[in-house]
Amino acid sequence: MMTKFKYVDLIILVCFLFITVSCNESKGSQEIIAGGDDVVMILDFNYSTDSIKKVNWYLKTSEIPGMPDSMIRYMKTVDDHKSVDNNARILICSSSGGTVLVDRATKRCLFYAITPNAHSVEYLPGNRIAVALSTADKGNRLEIYDADRSDTVLFKDSLYSGHGVTWMEERNLLYTLGYDELRAYSLVNWDSPNPGLQLEESWTLPETGGHDLYASSENQLLISTSKKVWKFDLNNNTFGPFHPIANEPDVKSVYYDEKADHLIYTKGEISWWTHHVYSVNPTKKIAIPEIDVYKVRVIK
């Protein structure tokens, strides 16, 4: 009888250890991308704290293999960066005026373009790239590129103080954020050499100074402005306060997992930049003192 119970206990123990290890492996796999100055780094979120960082990937934009030397000056102040193509490539744009697509494994440049005061970038179906340009000469607009044709604008539309661009596959719409406006575009002639966008709808923001745009679900967008953070219900087309950080000013980037109630964000603490990434549930602060961080993105 004792032998039987010991055998059952052993099975239970083995199962418990397997589940624990599996959970830890899953937990340890979450990565975040932070950028600032001429640096982009991918951190292991779960093993990074206010006193230590676990860096999984590091790139200086002045040292990208295959990128023309003439692009270096346009990549000095990184302000957005997203993992795309199943985490095989990294899209990076800079307020200094450039956008690049790099291979994660080799860090080699796959695409580049001069994009004045670019503030957000998004990967679209068909290997296309959308870039939102803020205030600058030849800025204040939305541009579309083909990743196989560097520095060749395929489509453009005016967008004052372009700061956000997010593709929503479930709705087959591209959402963009400007100074006081949210827009939704559909894809036009997308399989042709000359694709375009059609403006489907636009909404006036409840507050000026649009900064970041993030789709927290297929039914909700999060929008940061100069003084607050808002949610936008895509079914009712209504704005409301995003209560976890509704009254937080100068939020530069926001990520929210609705199911896990997990929030990650950055905010301007030293002028427009910071040296910290903030997390809620779990609550922690990751210090990045060596660069002036603007945005953080989460690899899903």
Side-chain angles (χ1 to χ4, degrees):
M1 198 70 168
M2 289 295 292
T3 303
K4 180 179 179 181
F5 278 119
K6 287 181 178 179
Y7 180 71
V8 172
D9 289 344
L10 180 61
I11 293 176
I12 292 173
L13 177 61
V14 170
C15 290
F16 173 77
L17 291 174
F18 175 78
I19 292 172
T20 301
V21 170
S22 298
C23 288
N24 285 337
E25 288 178 351
S26 175
K27 179 182 178 183
S29 66
Q30 187 172 31
E31 292 183 315
I32 61 174
I33 311 177
D37 303 327
D38 63 345
V39 170
V40 179
M41 61 177 71
I42 297 178
L43 308 177
D44 187 313
F45 171 80
N46 297 97
Y47 294 98
S48 296
T49 67
D50 196 25
S51 59
I52 190 170
K53 296 189 305 297
K54 186 175 187 300
V55 180
N56 291 347
W57 192 83
Y58 185 95
L59 175 73
K60 282 187 70 68
T61 56
S62 59
E63 300 173 356
I64 299 174
M67 185 182 78
D69 290 344
S70 60
M71 282 295 298
I72 293 176
R73 68 188 182 99
Y74 296 111
M75 297 302 301
K76 288 183 177 180
T77 50
V78 168
D79 59 10
D80 203 2
H81 28 73
K82 296 177 180 177
S83 175
V84 302
D85 195 19
N86 294 316
N87 200 25
R89 300 188 283 181
I90 307 295
L91 259 177
I92 306 166
C93 70
S94 165
S95 59
S96 297
T99 296
V100 295
L101 177 67
V102 301
D103 180 82
R104 174 164 177 171
T106 65
K107 301 181 181 178
R108 188 165 188 82
C109 181
L110 305 173
F111 163 88
Y112 64 88
I114 297 174
T115 51
N117 204 7
H119 264 69
S120 188
V121 63
E122 183 72 306
Y123 190 65
L124 301 178
N127 205 31
R128 303 271 163 72
I129 295 169
V131 189
L133 282 57
S134 188
T135 53
D137 182 28
K138 297 184 180 180
N140 290 317
R141 64 191 190 190
L142 171 68
E143 295 183 338
I144 301 297
Y145 294 85
D146 190 310
D148 292 326
R149 298 168 63 186
S150 287
D151 212 22
T152 303
V153 180
L154 304 181
F155 174 87
K156 60 186 177 183
D157 193 14
S158 62
L159 178 66
Y160 180 68
S161 189
H163 265 68
V165 59
T166 295
W167 168 249
M168 296 198 69
E169 184 176 1
E170 303 87 351
R171 294 175 177 266
N172 206 34
L173 290 171
L174 178 67
Y175 289 86
T176 65
L177 180 68
Y179 177 73
D180 60 359
E181 185 182 16
L182 173 69
R183 295 180 184 174
Y185 290 90
S186 59
L187 310 183
V188 178
N189 299 322
W190 207 247
D191 295 328
S192 75
N194 300 300
L197 299 174
Q198 178 174 308
L199 180 63
E200 297 293 340
E201 203 163 357
S202 65
W203 304 269
T204 300
L205 301 180
E207 181 188 47
T208 59
H211 272 298
D212 196 35
L213 179 66
Y214 176 75
S216 60
S217 73
E218 64 183 39
N219 299 312
Q220 180 173 275
L221 291 170
L222 299 183
I223 298 167
S224 70
T225 53
S226 296
K227 297 179 180 178
K228 297 185 179 183
V229 181
W230 307 85
K231 60 183 179 181
F232 183 71
D233 188 319
L234 289 164
N235 293 325
N236 301 320
N237 293 335
T238 55
F239 293 94
F242 178 60
H243 289 295
I245 50 172
N247 296 314
E248 192 76 60
D250 298 320
V251 169
K252 302 303 183 182
S253 63
V254 59
Y255 160 87
Y256 184 59
D257 182 334
E258 293 186 9
K259 292 181 179 179
D261 192 29
H262 184 199
L263 171 67
I264 299 177
Y265 66 99
T266 58
K267 58 183 179 179
E269 295 177 298
I270 313 166
S271 186
W272 50 263
W273 68 87
T274 180
H275 294 305
H276 296 100
V277 172
Y278 292 90
S279 170
V280 178
N281 195 26
T283 298
K284 70 174 175 177
K285 181 170 63 173
I286 298 173
I288 310 177
E290 63 269 41
I291 60 173
D292 294 338
V293 178
Y294 187 61
K295 292 180 182 176
V296 62
R297 299 299 185 195
V298 175
I299 297 178
K300 295 182 286 184

